Amino acid sequence: MASSPIVRFAPSPTGFLHIGSARTALFNWLYAKHHNGKMLLRIEDTDRARSTPESVQTILEGMTWLGLDWEGDAISQFARFERHAEVARQMVANGTAYYCYASPQELEEMRAEQKAKGLPQRYDGRWRDRPAGDAPKDIKPVIRLKAPQSGETTVNDAVMGSITVQNAQLDDMVLLRADGTPTYMHAVVVDDHDMNITHVIRGDDHMTNTFRQVQIYKAMGWDIPIFAHMPMILGPDGAKLSKRHGSPAVSDYRERGYLPEAIRNYLLRLCWSHGDDEIISLEQAIAWFDFDGVGKSPARFDFVKLGSINAHYIKESDNRRLAGLAEPFIAKTLGQPLSMHQIDLLTRAMPDLKTRAQTIVELAEMAVFYFHTGPFTMDDKTKKLLTPEAMQHLKELAAQMEALADFTSENIESLFRAYAEATGLKLGALAQPLRAALTGSTVSPPIFGVAALLGKNEALKRIQACSDG
Ligand code: GLU
């Protein structure tokens, strides 16, 4: 290709940023990066009843969170409606579109008749060739495309291959409504043309629209961009991905404790592959991404795989960053924000926590015990560990721990080992009650490290609280 590509992500701001749309955004972004091109962001807000500023905000936030930047300002499609109207009128002038004065009732009757006869329901072209003099004065017309009635329209899709439809199957669609607003089909073509879009990369639910859009390009004599339609993302059960499979909103993944780089990596693998690679860095993705890696069949969303990819990126993450991400979740459980000192402790606890969690939420749940005050509410399994005999040993161990000059994980462990040897007890028979006392649970990060992090005072206080209880 001579010039570098210009692509666009064109979401409709009628709700949240869907995870499937995020995949479309990612593929556009990677394509642009790989080819040293640009990605533009066009907000398709012509549907005034359903578009909201909150939704625009959610989309921008989701994109930013995923690290998918765009060139220049986001463009409002609605702001360009005069241009859309101008092109529609130009098409009337050049004979590729016409005014249609059919009333909604009339069109309804037409469709009812077609249905009764078992015919496909489509506009029958009743105003296609009528002279201007027939126009009723009191009706505002729509503008319809004078679509070719014979021949065929072929799209050479960069992913789906060459697909052809018979023009006879496509009716004269509306370009401009009676109130002067454009239809999606028309606005998208005018904008893609005016924005010099070279590649239209989107979900294959738009494939059937493409034939109609190609007819508009041809009617205007405009260059047709390259189309690349990505297969759909299905739920694990093979049905269209929806709320039933857990929320498809990008913001919910964030709230459920997924890292943006994990979502990005996971989305990349939906319908695109590079050998058997699963963990793919951003640099590799940019270097490798192209249409030849995109398959034609839909992908199934796999939450187990997403979990393991997220676990990988959590493990790789900087401890301070993870502490910052986990803090709001912990603060919510505690009912108050963590102090600087507590965040510092959380950061130091991270090496042992981050190897055990699939999400930041899990990480936070595992870390809450560090900041617990007062006696723990223990389940029966945990309580059972704190027998009178175990408590007796813990008390003696506590006295020895108190005497430790250096309260390190290694020193505490040596002390426990020596005690086990002297008493003939297994280390676990001492370490498990210690775990119960310090964490209120039977599972935790390595317990001597936990004790060291809590510090001598706090660790001894917790043991004491158990014997008091
Ligand atoms: N606004 C359309 C949508 O959100 C996308 C249009 C396009 O990519 O051509 O589905």
Side-chain angles (χ1 to χ4, degrees):
M1 197 185 320
S3 56
S4 40
I6 304 177
V7 300
R8 81 319 192 256
F9 174 51
S12 304
T14 55
F16 48 75
L17 177 61
H18 191 283
I19 196 84
S21 301
R23 197 258 330 235
T24 298
L26 173 68
F27 282 17
N28 270 287
W29 187 87
L30 285 173
Y31 189 82
K33 290 278 169 213
H34 178 84
H35 291 282
N36 283 320
K38 287 183 202 162
M39 179 175 87
L40 310 181
L41 177 60
R42 184 173 71 228
I43 304 291
E44 303 214 311
D45 51 358
T46 45
D47 184 342
R48 300 314 284 165
R50 293 177 63 224
S51 301
T52 65
E54 294 77 30
S55 173
V56 175
Q57 198 51 34
T58 313
I59 291 168
L60 301 187
E61 274 168 18
M63 302 266 298
T64 306
W65 181 65
L66 288 169
L68 305 178
D69 56 347
W70 57 92
E71 189 83 12
D73 290 334
I75 295 153
S76 155
Q77 185 163 63
F78 175 66
R80 292 175 39 79
F81 82 94
E82 274 168 18
R83 168 68 180 150
H84 303 134
E86 177 190 79
V87 173
R89 285 192 297 267
Q90 232 172 304
M91 289 168 75
V92 174
N94 76 16
T96 56
Y98 60 93
Y99 290 107
C100 165
Y101 294 86
S103 67
Q105 295 92 302
E106 214 184 316
L107 293 175
E108 214 163 287
E109 281 163 25
M110 175 195 77
R111 279 191 285 266
E113 228 168 89
Q114 289 168 336
K115 196 172 172 196
K117 288 187 190 149
L119 295 169
Q121 292 168 50
R122 47 172 98 113
Y123 178 69
D124 59 6
R126 56 185 62 194
W127 278 92
R128 195 176 159 104
D129 298 311
R130 276 176 80 164
D134 282 4
K137 295 269 172 305
D138 52 339
I139 293 184
K140 279 202 162 163
V142 300
I143 294 180
R144 287 184 183 270
L145 177 74
K146 201 174 226 175
Q149 291 176 314
S150 57
E152 48 193 36
T153 299
T154 297
V155 172
N156 283 311
D157 192 270
V159 170
M160 297 295 169
S162 165
I163 306 179
T164 298
V165 292
Q166 298 304 314
N167 288 333
Q169 286 178 13
L170 307 173
D171 64 1
D172 289 350
M173 66 178 152
V174 175
L175 303 173
L176 206 67
R177 299 188 190 92
D179 65 2
T181 60
T183 55
Y184 152 73
M185 213 65 92
H186 179 61
V188 88
V189 172
V190 175
D191 289 351
D192 284 342
H193 168 76
D194 287 1
M195 291 159 76
N196 298 314
I197 300 302
T198 58
H199 295 73
V200 172
I201 304 170
R202 58 188 174 191
D204 76 356
D205 49 338
H206 285 290
M207 192 71 218
T208 51
N209 294 335
T210 306
F211 302 106
R212 293 176 170 279
Q213 291 169 9
V214 163
Q215 292 187 337
I216 302 177
Y217 283 99
K218 286 187 175 162
M220 284 302 290
W222 287 341
D223 285 345
I224 299 172
I226 292 169
F227 290 96
H229 286 89
M230 306 296 142
M232 290 284 95
I233 304 172
L234 305 177
D237 56 359
K240 192 165 178 260
L241 188 65
S242 71
K243 281 215 166 75
R244 247 175 349 103
H245 305 105
S247 171
V250 167
S251 55
D252 280 323
Y253 286 87
R254 181 181 189 170
E255 276 156 33
R256 272 149 56 201
Y258 290 93
L259 296 178
E261 60 268 42
I263 295 287
R264 221 167 40 209
N265 189 151
Y266 182 67
L267 289 181
L268 173 64
R269 290 284 295 103
L270 290 175
C271 303
W272 179 87
S273 58
H274 181 269
D276 291 331
D277 293 316
E278 288 295 352
I279 299 293
I280 300 171
S281 73
L282 197 56
E283 293 68 35
Q284 287 169 324
I286 292 170
W288 295 340
F289 188 84
D290 219 332
F291 296 142
D292 54 6
V294 181
K296 283 190 193 178
S297 4
R300 288 193 186 204
F301 208 90
D302 181 345
F303 288 96
V304 177
K305 196 155 147 194
L306 173 60
S308 75
I309 291 182
N310 204 46
H312 168 86
Y313 283 102
I314 287 180
K315 227 176 282 168
E316 301 270 292
S317 271
D318 173 72
N319 298 328
R320 192 154 283 282
R321 173 190 180 210
L322 290 174
L325 290 172
E327 194 272 343
F329 294 104
I330 299 173
K332 205 167 157 203
T333 309
L334 298 178
Q336 60 183 38
L338 298 189
S339 65
M340 291 302 278
H341 169 75
Q342 287 174 316
I343 291 179
D344 194 51
L345 189 155
L346 183 60
T347 307
R348 284 183 288 124
M350 263 322 149
D352 282 335
L353 289 169
K354 69 181 179 182
T355 51
R356 293 173 162 74
Q358 286 218 328
T359 64
I360 299 295
V361 172
E362 276 180 30
L363 196 68
E365 280 166 4
M366 276 193 290
V368 167
F369 78 85
Y370 284 107
F371 313 104
H372 192 88
T373 46
F376 287 110
T377 318
M378 296 178 186
D379 60 14
D380 288 344
K381 220 169 126 196
T382 315
K383 271 189 216 147
K384 265 195 200 135
L385 291 168
L386 298 170
T387 58
E389 194 197 339
M391 279 318 303
Q392 191 51 43
H393 291 303
L394 271 190
K395 255 192 213 162
E396 284 170 37
L397 284 157
Q400 293 186 19
M401 282 195 271
E402 184 148 33
L404 277 179
D406 233 350
F407 202 67
T408 61
S409 171
E410 295 74 27
N411 288 351
I412 302 165
E413 182 170 349
S414 312
L415 191 154
F416 268 68
R417 283 192 185 281
Y419 187 94
E421 208 163 299
T423 52
L425 289 166
K426 285 211 175 99
L427 184 64
L430 300 168
Q432 273 303 84
L434 178 68
R435 189 186 310 279
L438 298 187
T439 73
S441 164
T442 55
V443 280
S444 80
I447 195 59
F448 303 119
V450 167
L453 269 179
L454 286 173
K456 192 191 281 182
N457 280 348
E458 181 63 21
L460 296 182
K461 203 165 98 190
R462 290 186 186 198
I463 295 171
Q464 182 63 41
C466 288
S467 30
D468 293 349

